[in-house]
Amino acid sequence: CTVNMNADENVTVSYTAAAINGACGAGDGTTTATEPTGASACSSGTLNSSSPADTSVLWRWTCTGSGGGTNATCDANIPAPTFDMTVNSSGATGVAITGSPTARGGTTNYTDAAVAAGTSIVLTAPATAGGNNFASWSGCDSTNVTNRTCTFSLDSDMTLVVNYAAPTYDMTVNSSGASGVVITGAPTARGGTTPYTDAAVAAGTSIVLTAPATAGGNNFASWTGCDSTNVTNRTCTFSLDSDMTLTVTYAAATFDMTVNSSGATGVAITG
């Protein structure tokens, strides 16, 4: 500034602020569950409050420059929510479950922690476990008993249970030579009036059936289909290890007829 001093003069010098560009901080491009603040948000410039930019997938904020400086737009990823999946078993232990995706399989009881929300999962159980048969799944969105599958989308912490039950068989009791024969059972529930069927009896149940001495005017003759019988006690004993049919047979009473002769021997009798 040059001044010719011919009189008193006032000289003023003016300054303007230097331009400062906004710049993203260390939080830019990271994955964080909390919104970036302070130096993590902006290494320079003024932070404009951040907010989720895409249905809670991204944090987005602006670092505003000053003095004519530029602004910077910054992003950080919001981590996807996760949930725990627990798979238990009832009626059998240590059941090997097949998963789709494969990583979701395991041996009961097990928990997969921090599985991405919304993961579609299919679990498949074996047909038998611990000597028992597959019965059902519980806790699933849908199940298929034939394929033994449990299908669901993991939208919350979930517990799935695969259930096993002892195999069962049917016991049918018929009669021949008489109908409506009242059979006594041990256990009592296995008794009934012929013909009858007890369905879904637990496999391996030991059963003794006892028939009356007479029925329909006929006499007890035999049992068939049993593991063992006692004709004197009219019992049929067996262990129900498959579907079984037992038959009690009655026959008309028989008697002996003796014909003698007196005063002659070898007499030919016409009947």
Side-chain angles (χ1 to χ4, degrees), residues 144 149 167 198 227 261:
N144 184 306
T149 55
D198 279 355
D227 292 342
S261 61

Side-chain angles (χ1 to χ4, degrees), residues 30 36 41 110 114 125 172 190-191 207 228 265:
T30 63
Y110 69 95
T172 299
R190 302 287 76 83
I207 299 171
S228 65
T265 60

Side-chain angles (χ1 to χ4, degrees), residues 158-236:
M158 296 183 71
T159 296
L160 303 311
V161 180
V162 58
N163 302 295
Y164 285 82
T168 60
Y169 299 108
D170 295 346
M171 177 194 81
T172 299
V173 183
N174 294 327
S175 59
S176 174
S179 59
V181 180
V182 178
I183 302 298
T184 302
T188 305
R190 302 287 76 83
T193 300
T194 64
Y196 68 94
T197 296
D198 279 355
V201 180
T205 300
S206 294
I207 299 171
V208 179
L209 301 178
T210 302
T214 61
N218 290 338
N219 291 341
F220 171 83
S222 63
W223 278 102
T224 56
C226 316
D227 292 342
S228 65
T229 63
N230 184 307
V231 175
T232 302
N233 296 329
R234 305 176 307 281
T235 56
C236 167

Side-chain angles (χ1 to χ4, degrees), residues 11-266:
V11 178
T12 303
V13 60
S14 300
Y15 292 86
T16 57
I20 299 176
N21 294 328
C24 298
D28 182 46
T30 63
T31 298
T32 175
T34 58
E35 62 178 286
T37 59
S40 176
C42 296
S43 60
S44 67
T46 301
L47 170 65
N48 288 337
S49 296
S50 56
S51 61
D54 184 12
T55 318
S56 297
V57 173
L58 288 174
W59 295 109
R60 178 161 294 160
W61 67 96
T62 301
C63 298
T64 304
S66 60
T70 58
N71 300 332
T73 300
C74 317
D75 291 321
N77 297 312
I78 298 175
T82 61
F83 299 108
D84 294 346
M85 176 193 82
T86 298
V87 184
N88 295 331
S89 57
S90 174
T93 60
V95 181
I97 303 298
T98 302
S100 176
T102 305
R104 302 286 76 83
T107 301
T108 62
N109 295 334
Y110 69 95
T111 296
D112 280 354
V115 180
T119 299
S120 295
I121 299 172
V122 179
L123 302 178
T124 303
T128 61
N132 289 338
N133 292 342
F134 171 83
S136 64
W137 279 100
S138 57
C140 316
D141 292 343
S142 64
T143 64
N144 184 306
V145 174
T146 302
N147 297 329
R148 306 177 305 281
T149 55
C150 166
T151 302
F152 58 98
S153 179
L154 196 66
D155 295 320
S156 63
D157 291 337
M158 296 183 71
T159 296
L160 303 311
V161 180
V162 58
N163 302 295
Y164 285 82
T168 60
Y169 299 108
D170 295 346
M171 177 194 81
T172 299
V173 183
N174 294 327
S175 59
S176 174
S179 59
V181 180
V182 178
I183 302 298
T184 302
T188 305
R190 302 287 76 83
T193 300
T194 64
Y196 68 94
T197 296
D198 279 355
V201 180
T205 300
S206 294
I207 299 171
V208 179
L209 301 178
T210 302
T214 61
N218 290 338
N219 291 341
F220 171 83
S222 63
W223 278 102
T224 56
C226 316
D227 292 342
S228 65
T229 63
N230 184 307
V231 175
T232 302
N233 296 329
R234 305 176 307 281
T235 56
C236 167
T237 303
F238 58 98
S239 179
L240 195 65
D241 295 319
S242 64
D243 291 338
M244 296 183 71
T245 298
L246 304 310
T247 302
V248 59
T249 301
Y250 285 81
T254 60
F255 301 99
D256 294 340
M257 182 186 74
T258 301
V259 182
N260 296 325
S261 61
S262 176
T265 60

